[in-house]
Amino acid sequence: MEKIEKSRFQWVGPNAEESEGIARPSITFWRDSMGRLMKNKVAVVCGIIIILLILLSIFAPIFSPFEGREQHLMHGNAPMFTRCDQTGHMHLFGTDTLGRDIFTRLWEGGRVSMFIAFAAVFCNLIIGVLYGGISGYFGGAVDNIMMRIVEIINGIPYLIIVILLMMILPPGVITIVVAYATTGWTGMARLVRGQIISLKEQEFVVAAKALGAGVPRLILRHLLPNSLSVVIVNLTLSIPNAIFTEAFLSYIGLGVQVPLSSWGMLAQAGSAAMRTYPSQLIVPAVCICLTMFSFNLLGDGLRDAFDPRLRR
Amino acid sequence: MWKYVLKRIGYAVITLFVLVTLTFFTMQLLPGDPFTGEKKVPEEVLQSIKAKYGLDKPVFEQYVMYMGNCLHGDLGDSMVTRRPVTTLLLGSFSVSFDLGMRALLFAFIGGVLLGIVAAVKRGTPWDTVTMIVALVGVSVPSFIVASVLQLFLGLQLPRATGIKLFPVTGWDGFASTVLPTFAMGFGSLATISRLMRTSMLDVLGSDYIKTARAKGISNKRIIWKHAVRNAVMPVVTVLGPITAGILTGGFVVENIFAIPGMGKYFVQSVQQTDYFLISGTTILYGGLLIVCNLAVDLVYGFIDPRVKLGKEEA
């Protein structure tokens, strides 16, 4: 048997730099999720559609040659792509019964609808996260009482509460937001509570507590950021709900009041003229559906992207 | 089990109580009173009218009185037509209930079937098409579905082909119920089918289904006998909120199709600010939904043995 001389071996020793080095650049949870979202073509397209709709709502009324309130009674109910007699500008989507330019009104309505949706969802976020956070963190009797209250609010159909509120408060945009926010936060509260309960026993929270972090800091800095992904998905999915509620209320005449326009109001006006001028209904209807559709798909995409089980 | 039932009933009663209280005080907060009109009414007449409706008493006393009346099933008189709210509503209630049940059945059966198809044929065009339909259903509000159906099937179809399948409005015979049922049920059908698909996929991947396959049970039998029964559970839990969605969707759909149901009264009463009619409709609607929720909870307790066990241990 051949003997291997000792001199042929060499002590390499631990290389501190190499063993501490990281093979791949570390990817944070957020960057990983965003990367996965970007690969989901459907969600990306929906995100682009949403951004386009928002941009159109902001800028289309500014650049449109017509005013939303401007009436041309002689020129009412014009079909799509007709030119205005006096100025020669194009009415892209035609005019309504009072001769107002539907294209301009559509995007002015879009501003109102989007504003209501975002504001309402923002209110839900604040109330729901705080309520759920407190309830989940303290647990026990506090949790019990707080969740019973949620259960009772949930038991009453929210549209009924919203309609009742709309009757006491003066009609207007803010009222819709308030009415929606009074009932809409329960879903968020439940969700956040569940997350907090599952997180609060974990080591990093215990460590923070041992280091002397106070309750507000624990909830706001440690527990909530870790439940953020669930919250974002829920937010995205509740925007279509808010848009629907606004459209619904405006449609039955309790929502936005004239001379403001919103997509729900336009749809309502359009359905009155449906027999003779169907395009007046179809245009706002398409906008409502497109927005809800995109937000739903984007929400689905986000949920998939945030799901740790799908992480490679 | 009894503890669970009692607890659920307790919640339902409390919720109903909160609803009635809320409605009463909302009505108190409304600006003006029902008798402020354009005509100048002599002070004595006004006083006697107020006395008739009990409006001269302190708020708390009115509240107790209103509660008592509600328990008797007396919801006051309509301010516009002067007829008792209960009589007005009972006639329309049967219509709304009929339509609501049709929509619910349509949504439940249709949704469950679509969900099963999508899950079993996962990844095939069947799946894609079903899920696109479901997504459209989730994204299109019921009043738009209603208007569009009216426009195309009610108006354009007869115009183009001369065949008159569905009347545009009204409530008379089976043909007139098809479009409203579809409009009210479509959104919920979509929600149910999405839920059913996920839950069915979960169940189909579980061990006992593999065992069943290994035993050589036919595919049909596995799906219908073994998988569907378990997969349908999550769908049953959301039936409560879904019923609420369908019935409140009825507000607008009934109006669009001119169906003489409660939803039409509700929207009308809101537009005419007919206080007692509003509060009556609210309470009846809310009560109905609370009872539906209760029924779903109880049914769920009976069909899923795990609920019983969990509650008794707790």
Side-chain angles (χ1 to χ4, degrees):
Chain A
M1 198 171 125
E2 194 193 354
K3 198 156 185 204
I4 305 172
E5 282 173 46
K6 247 202 174 143
S7 62
R8 291 176 67 182
F9 291 96
Q10 190 196 353
W11 175 243
V12 179
N15 184 337
E17 247 171 61
E18 225 167 82
S19 65
E20 290 295 309
I22 296 163
R24 277 183 292 179
S26 77
I27 301 174
T28 60
F29 171 71
W30 293 104
R31 199 179 285 175
D32 182 41
S33 304
M34 282 306 121
R36 220 161 328 114
L37 184 69
M38 287 302 155
K39 274 186 207 143
N40 185 343
K41 284 195 193 92
V42 180
V44 171
V45 169
C46 287
I48 293 172
I49 291 178
I50 292 167
I51 292 170
L52 270 181
L53 285 170
I54 292 174
L55 288 181
L56 271 170
S57 301
I58 295 173
F59 292 113
I62 299 177
F63 293 116
S64 162
F66 302 99
E67 288 272 327
R69 300 183 188 184
E70 186 184 326
Q71 302 179 1
H72 299 274
L73 291 173
M74 302 296 288
H75 209 72
N77 289 324
M80 285 178 156
F81 306 115
T82 41
R83 285 194 180 280
C84 178
D85 291 337
Q86 293 127 28
T87 51
H89 293 300
M90 175 98 84
H91 288 292
L92 268 182
F93 292 150
T95 58
D96 64 6
T97 23
L98 293 174
R100 293 176 292 194
D101 181 47
I102 291 183
F103 183 79
T104 316
R105 278 180 70 74
L106 182 72
W107 298 115
E108 281 181 357
R111 281 181 182 178
V112 175
S113 290
M114 295 268 190
F115 171 77
I116 291 174
F118 282 107
V121 166
F122 183 72
C123 293
N124 283 353
L125 172 79
I126 303 288
I127 305 174
V129 163
L130 285 181
Y131 195 95
I134 292 171
S135 172
Y137 182 80
F138 289 106
V142 177
D143 180 37
N144 218 340
I145 292 169
M146 287 176 91
M147 280 300 119
R148 293 299 84 79
I149 294 173
V150 165
E151 212 156 307
I152 286 168
I153 295 177
N154 253 353
I156 307 172
Y158 85 97
L159 267 178
I160 284 186
I161 304 184
V162 170
I163 289 174
L164 278 181
L165 279 174
M166 295 297 297
M167 299 197 51
I168 342 173
L169 303 170
V173 173
I174 302 296
T175 308
I176 302 182
V177 175
V178 171
Y180 185 76
T182 26
T183 55
W185 53 271
T186 52
M188 183 67 84
R190 280 185 162 181
L191 205 75
V192 171
R193 170 182 171 267
Q195 281 287 312
I196 299 282
I197 285 180
S198 70
L199 283 174
K200 74 174 176 188
E201 300 302 331
Q202 288 189 9
E203 284 85 353
F204 71 94
V205 181
V206 179
K209 229 188 252 177
L211 286 170
V215 172
R217 188 183 163 83
L218 270 180
I219 293 183
L220 293 175
R221 290 298 302 260
H222 295 281
L223 292 173
L224 288 182
N226 278 295
S227 31
L228 206 58
S229 59
V230 185
V231 170
I232 289 178
V233 171
N234 185 277
L235 271 189
T236 321
L237 290 177
S238 60
I239 285 179
N241 222 333
I243 287 184
F244 166 77
T245 308
E246 182 277 314
F248 183 93
L249 287 174
S250 299
Y251 197 92
I252 64 175
L254 272 177
V256 176
Q257 304 291 315
V258 281
L260 277 178
S261 70
S262 79
W263 286 344
M265 257 182 74
L266 290 175
Q268 196 236 348
S271 68
M274 176 180 79
R275 280 171 188 252
T276 31
Y277 308 104
S279 76
Q280 292 184 16
L281 167 67
I282 291 170
V283 168
V286 165
C287 273
I288 298 176
C289 298
L290 198 62
T291 318
M292 288 177 67
F293 194 79
S294 306
F295 272 110
N296 275 327
L297 275 175
L298 182 68
D300 282 357
L302 280 171
R303 178 164 41 204
D304 289 346
F306 286 138
D307 194 340
R309 281 175 296 179
L310 295 174
R311 211 173 169 186
R312 269 165 295 164
Chain B
M1 188 65 209
W2 282 112
K3 210 175 148 193
Y4 174 73
V5 172
L6 283 178
K7 206 169 151 190
R8 287 288 123 197
I9 293 177
Y11 275 135
V13 171
I14 294 174
T15 317
L16 201 58
F17 174 77
V18 170
L19 178 71
V20 175
T21 311
L22 199 75
T23 321
F24 177 81
F25 285 105
T26 313
M27 293 298 125
Q28 291 292 320
L29 282 176
L30 281 176
D33 67 55
F35 310 111
T36 39
E38 285 176 5
K39 252 193 286 178
K40 196 123 175 97
V41 183
E43 194 57 29
E44 302 87 61
V45 179
L46 204 63
Q47 287 308 325
S48 69
I49 298 179
K50 283 195 171 172
K52 187 192 169 217
Y53 288 103
L55 292 176
D56 51 347
K57 299 196 177 72
V59 173
F60 185 72
E61 210 169 303
Q62 285 186 44
Y63 173 63
V64 174
M65 215 169 74
Y66 189 72
M67 271 295 183
N69 284 343
C70 282
L71 288 178
H72 292 130
D74 174 12
L75 297 169
D77 293 348
S78 161
M79 308 250 167
V80 175
T81 57
R82 307 271 169 223
R83 288 168 58 201
V85 170
T86 332
T87 9
L88 274 179
L89 289 182
L90 279 184
S92 54
F93 175 74
S94 59
V95 176
S96 284
F97 190 74
D98 184 358
L99 184 60
M101 283 303 127
R102 277 171 202 263
L104 190 63
L105 270 182
F106 165 70
F108 184 70
I109 296 175
V112 166
L113 285 180
L114 279 184
I116 295 174
V117 169
V120 170
K121 312 237 175 209
R122 187 188 188 181
T124 63
W126 283 93
D127 186 15
T128 322
V129 170
T130 320
M131 282 306 109
I132 288 176
V133 170
L135 207 69
V136 170
V138 174
S139 308
V140 185
S142 57
F143 55 90
I144 290 182
V145 178
S147 307
V148 168
L149 283 177
Q150 242 182 355
L151 179 61
F152 286 107
L153 292 180
L155 284 173
Q156 307 281 43
L157 185 75
R159 241 185 238 171
T161 58
I163 314 164
K164 199 162 169 57
L165 277 182
F166 309 109
V168 180
T169 54
W171 183 250
D172 180 30
F174 178 73
S176 70
T177 66
V178 176
L179 297 186
T181 306
F182 189 85
M184 269 167 82
F186 188 47
S188 310
L189 179 142
T191 319
I192 292 178
S193 69
R194 276 159 68 104
L195 198 67
M196 185 68 192
R197 176 176 178 270
T198 342
S199 124
M200 190 76 181
L201 283 177
D202 257 12
V203 170
L204 283 180
S206 61
D207 289 340
Y208 79 97
I209 295 290
K210 272 181 207 147
T211 315
R213 274 193 213 288
K215 277 162 68 184
I217 297 174
S218 73
N219 210 4
K220 218 183 208 170
R221 206 177 145 81
I222 287 179
I223 292 167
W224 292 107
K225 271 269 171 192
H226 297 252
V228 169
R229 285 185 178 197
N230 274 321
V232 97
M233 288 291 175
V235 178
V236 174
T237 43
V238 298
L239 272 186
I242 278 185
T243 319
I246 285 182
L247 287 180
T248 39
F251 290 173
V252 179
V253 173
E254 281 176 9
N255 245 322
I256 291 176
F257 287 101
I259 293 165
M262 259 165 53
K264 205 173 144 242
Y265 271 113
F266 193 70
V267 176
Q268 242 173 40
S269 64
V270 166
Q271 281 158 359
Q272 297 169 340
T273 52
D274 186 345
Y275 294 171
F276 281 121
L277 193 53
I278 299 172
S279 55
T281 336
T282 312
I283 291 169
L284 201 60
Y285 248 116
L288 184 67
L289 293 176
I290 291 166
V291 170
C292 284
N293 265 333
L294 177 68
V296 168
D297 277 348
L298 293 185
V299 165
Y300 193 67
F302 277 112
I303 59 176
D304 190 350
R306 280 168 301 184
V307 173
K308 267 183 276 182
L309 281 175
K311 293 287 162 186
E312 262 165 23
E313 276 163 12

